[in-house]
Amino acid sequence: MTAEGTKRPIRRALVSVYDKTGLEELARGLHEAGVSLVSTGSTASKIAAAGVPVTKVEELTGFPECLDGRVKTLHPRVHAGILADLRLEDHQRQLAELGVEPFDLVVVNLYPFKETVASGATPDECVEQIDIGGPSMVRAAAKNHPSVAVVTSPARYADVLTAAREGGFELAARKRLAAEAFQHTAAYDVAVASWFASSYAPADESDFPDFLGATWERDNVLRYGENPHQPAALYTSGSGGLAQAEQLHGKEMSYNNYTDTDAARRAAYDHSEPCVAIIKHANPCGIAIGADVAEAHRKAHACDPLSAFGGVIAVNRPVSVAMAEQVAEIFTEVIVAPAYEDGAVEVLARKKNIRVLRAEGAPANPVEVKPIDGGALLQVTDRLQADGDKPENWTLATGEALSAEELAELAFAWKACRAVKSNAILLAKDGRVGRRRNGSGQPRRLREARGGAGRRGEGTGRVRRVRRVLPVPGRPGDPHRGGRQGRGPAWRFGPRRAGGRGGEEGGRDDVLHGDAALLPL
């Protein structure tokens, strides 16, 4: 059954909040509108201190707050007043017989459980911040939205005061408030359940919880998704990052802008030195490090100037005016950085449509979730945290030992290769990758070796970094010299040093081929 039509005046309100932002103004406004207030604990004290009449909940229930505040509002005189469906004569009769007055408005927000966990508090302190009475009141009021308005956010207080002065909320508004309330309690329950499953009481020692939950709120409806026939929207988790970046200039972000910008930020922050990554269609046009961001940008752009046209630029340092001047000369869809030096945004804004974003800090998602039909895959995010990602743990499999400069070049290529898809082949020199192109996402490594190096000899003096060290032998009859895919093709195209993960099938052949070609591996 749903209520139809009329507003429901606000005569009596129950207010119990942890976040007391705007509480005094709310209480004064309700009092001036003729609303009587009932409140709990520190909320009641703050309202009284503001000079507003308030009834403490223990005066209503005749039962004192107890157990260090664990029991305050769990009482029939509270919940009957919230849950009575005032459309029903029988409910009205029962309230009269019990001497219970109904509530028209419930204003509640919950204990800061997520913030307590994030602070590094002890398990007991976290458990103590699991709210019981608050969610009970919120859910009760949301269920009974035909008779009660429920508010869980201080951002709604202005709406409450307007409604109190103008005769109450319409049914449509009460429905919307109820929806927000259920979202509030759902997110809270997911946070508690996730903490229990992952940290407090894991089901096993796998490091993967037996319950996986997350909540997002819609931030913006986008023009379309990856293609014009695909509707799309942006949702945020409330944890900052790219999804909540501040846009300082330019057109509205698109779906593809977000995916490319996310890839660019990750690529730039793979490096500790000043780094610029230029991304198009989620793959690098160029990645480079330099003494400063202007130098890094020049080098990254020089990797593939044609592909960089209309690309996305990410920087892991504040953008300088010098770099902004360079970018302003090139058609760029998006630039994202942790900050901008004075005057840099004004230089970039010479281009009307370039999207200028400020996103503080490095990408921080600890895990990646990939939906599949009927489920999802979860993996730990690759932050180059494996032992093999550290040059000090590398071993020489064949050839002569590299100089410190050559080893640094190979280390740069190794990090940069994280940003492209397997089969991934990068050619690196002078702290930049991808002079002609970088190979990525292709099924045949030989083709990528050719594509990555271009014409024979173009890659001379370059460093080659591959997810699989060298092309593996192919099936007999493959149209390659000797009928085998990978009989020494990679070094025919010019790289002089190579690196890759060991231990894979065919790895011994890689060493033999590298040794035959006098290629340090």
Side-chain angles (χ1 to χ4, degrees), residues 8 12-14 78-85 103-108 133-152 171 173-182 185:
R8 190 164 292 280
R12 191 164 183 256
L14 174 61
V78 174
H79 282 271
I82 298 173
L83 282 165
D85 186 342
F103 290 104
D104 309 299
L105 172 68
V106 172
V107 180
V108 174
S136 299
M137 291 186 288
V138 169
R139 289 176 58 85
K143 174 179 179 176
N144 197 31
H145 61 271
S147 299
V148 182
V150 57
V151 172
T152 58
L171 174 61
R174 296 198 300 277
K175 286 181 177 179
R176 186 61 238 162
L177 290 170
E180 293 174 6
F182 280 123
T185 57

Side-chain angles (χ1 to χ4, degrees), residues 236-261:
T236 62
S237 64
S239 59
L242 173 61
Q244 293 182 283
E246 180 184 5
Q247 184 162 351
L248 305 176
H249 176 75
K251 294 167 59 178
E252 180 181 346
M253 290 281 286
S254 72
Y255 180 95
N256 290 327
N257 288 154
Y258 276 113
T259 57
D260 281 355
T261 305

Side-chain angles (χ1 to χ4, degrees), residues 161-249:
L161 295 180
T162 298
R165 291 190 298 266
E166 297 180 359
F169 286 105
E170 296 281 3
L171 174 61
R174 296 198 300 277
K175 286 181 177 179
R176 186 61 238 162
L177 290 170
E180 293 174 6
F182 280 123
Q183 292 166 17
H184 190 61
T185 57
Y188 196 84
D189 286 342
V190 165
V192 174
S194 298
W195 178 70
F196 266 77
S198 63
S199 301
Y200 188 57
D204 51 44
E205 298 180 359
S206 69
D207 292 330
F208 291 95
D210 61 335
F211 169 83
L212 186 63
T215 58
W216 294 273
E217 294 185 3
R218 192 186 70 197
D219 181 85
N220 189 29
V221 176
L222 306 177
R223 284 195 303 154
Y224 55 83
E226 186 174 359
N227 297 293
H229 67 279
Q230 296 174 268
L234 171 68
Y235 288 78
T236 62
S237 64
S239 59
L242 173 61
Q244 293 182 283
E246 180 184 5
Q247 184 162 351
L248 305 176
H249 176 75

